[in-house]
Amino acid sequence: MQLTNKCSNSFWSEFRLRNFGFNHDQLDQFYRSQWQTGERSFLFLLYRWIWAAFFLGVFLSCLVLQFSEGKYFIFLTNWGIMLCTATQFVAALLATQWYFDVDAVRSSAYEISQLKKTPRLIKFYWLLHDVSLPLALIITTIYWSFLHGKMNKPNRFPVMSFVTHCMNSVFMLVDFLVVAFPFRLLHTIYAMLLPITFCLFTVVYFFCGGTDDFGNHYVYPLLDWTKPTRGLITFAGVFGLYCIYCILLYVLFKFKRFLQRSLSAVWSPHCVGLI
């Protein structure tokens, strides 16, 4: 009963007004992995740059293969890849800054934390991560559930399609399990601004006579605005998925925190000495 009450209180505390913002009093969590034991970790730094290089490679490959006179930029999948790439590069820069203590960031991070001030770059990174992660999951779910094999055009690059519609979510979920900073439920509001923007873009694009790379008068069949009811249902479904995924991510965040604390207690010198 006590554990249930604690979990319930923790969940409802997420809906405090301050959690709309991007201030946090433990800034070192944005530079470090949740699982590293020392102040610095070369493995985490290497991991960060490998992830950044992976997403950059995917982005550049897609851009070269699918540019199609700029129509690469009309697809939500590619918006997601660009956001993931930006997220991982900012993360790699922060990890590098921490590892090499650029501008004495390690000492200043603790000082700034006490002043309850969060640097703009960290706020930007937090926003990017909270937008790109659920978007990757949404893209994967919608593509494999409703679009795969139903796009009225050939799949010219099946390997790249698999990477951008499946591995994007896998890599972002792995990253979510690695990072140390918290997941805020109210940040879902900012994540939802992206599908609103994309939906409005597809409407404007349709009425301006825009086509996809094969001449279809829509960006995706589910957002064919000659059938507005289908588009509105799709839009509502995406919002529902955002709510579901963000709650699941919050539960996963709490679980990984619990697991990390449990492992830290087991492997602490005091506990090991008792064993």
Side-chain angles (χ1 to χ4, degrees):
M1 180 63 72
Q2 186 176 2
L3 179 61
T4 303
N5 290 336
K6 185 176 181 180
C7 292
S8 177
N9 291 335
S10 177
F11 176 79
W12 290 113
S13 68
E14 281 295 313
F15 295 94
R16 294 172 182 169
L17 189 60
R18 66 182 184 184
N19 287 335
F20 274 112
F22 292 88
N23 290 312
H24 191 50
D25 57 3
Q26 292 178 275
L27 296 184
D28 61 301
Q29 292 181 352
F30 293 91
Y31 297 96
R32 306 167 69 239
S33 164
Q34 178 173 282
W35 308 100
Q36 72 184 66
T37 53
E39 189 174 46
R40 297 193 309 166
S41 171
F42 178 74
L43 286 178
F44 181 62
L45 178 66
L46 182 63
Y47 155 84
R48 272 284 167 236
W49 281 106
I50 289 174
W51 246 231
F54 167 79
F55 277 105
L56 179 63
V58 171
F59 166 64
L60 293 178
S61 298
C62 290
L63 192 62
V64 170
L65 294 172
Q66 304 170 4
F67 185 72
S68 298
E69 299 180 344
K71 290 184 178 177
Y72 169 85
F73 297 100
I74 71 173
F75 297 104
L76 186 62
T77 297
N78 300 330
W79 288 24
I81 290 298
M82 289 187 287
L83 279 170
C84 288
T85 303
T87 301
Q88 297 304 324
F89 258 91
V90 175
L93 290 174
L94 290 174
T96 303
Q97 190 179 14
W98 183 268
Y99 187 84
F100 294 104
D101 199 22
V102 179
D103 296 327
V105 67
R106 290 202 292 270
S107 58
S108 62
Y110 295 117
E111 293 173 1
I112 296 173
S113 294
Q114 293 175 352
L115 296 173
K116 300 185 183 300
K117 292 183 179 180
T118 304
R120 290 180 180 177
L121 183 61
I122 288 180
K123 290 182 178 181
F124 180 60
Y125 168 54
W126 200 357
L127 174 63
L128 279 176
H129 199 280
D130 284 354
V131 170
S132 58
L133 173 57
L135 177 61
L137 297 174
I138 294 291
I139 288 170
T140 298
T141 302
I142 292 179
Y143 177 78
W144 293 104
S145 299
F146 302 104
L147 296 176
H148 181 62
K150 304 172 185 176
M151 291 284 285
N152 195 27
K153 58 184 179 181
N155 187 355
R156 295 177 296 170
F157 310 105
V159 174
M160 193 57 65
S161 178
F162 178 76
V163 171
T164 57
H165 294 109
C166 181
M167 297 307 295
N168 60 329
S169 292
V170 172
F171 276 72
M172 288 302 294
L173 273 174
V174 170
D175 191 58
F176 179 70
L177 294 174
V178 169
V179 299
F181 56 88
F183 179 81
R184 293 282 181 249
L185 277 173
L186 290 182
H187 287 181
T188 306
I189 301 298
Y190 306 113
M192 286 180 170
L193 291 176
L194 191 67
I196 292 174
T197 302
F198 183 76
C199 185
L200 292 175
F201 163 74
T202 61
V203 172
V204 173
Y205 192 72
F206 170 77
F207 282 107
C208 289
T211 62
D212 68 1
D213 46 340
F214 280 85
N216 298 305
H217 288 279
Y218 50 73
V219 178
Y220 292 108
L222 292 174
L223 293 175
D224 181 357
W225 293 106
T226 59
K227 304 171 183 176
T229 302
R230 178 194 291 180
L232 292 174
I233 291 173
T234 300
F235 188 59
V238 167
F239 266 73
L241 279 175
Y242 262 97
C243 294
I244 292 169
Y245 276 133
C246 286
I247 291 174
L248 291 176
L249 286 170
Y250 177 75
V251 172
L252 185 58
F253 160 68
K254 286 297 184 180
F255 174 74
K256 71 168 186 169
R257 279 284 178 90
F258 168 76
L259 186 61
Q260 189 269 335
R261 286 194 298 267
S262 299
L263 292 175
S264 297
V266 168
W267 293 108
S268 67
H270 178 69
C271 186
V272 171
L274 290 177
I275 295 173

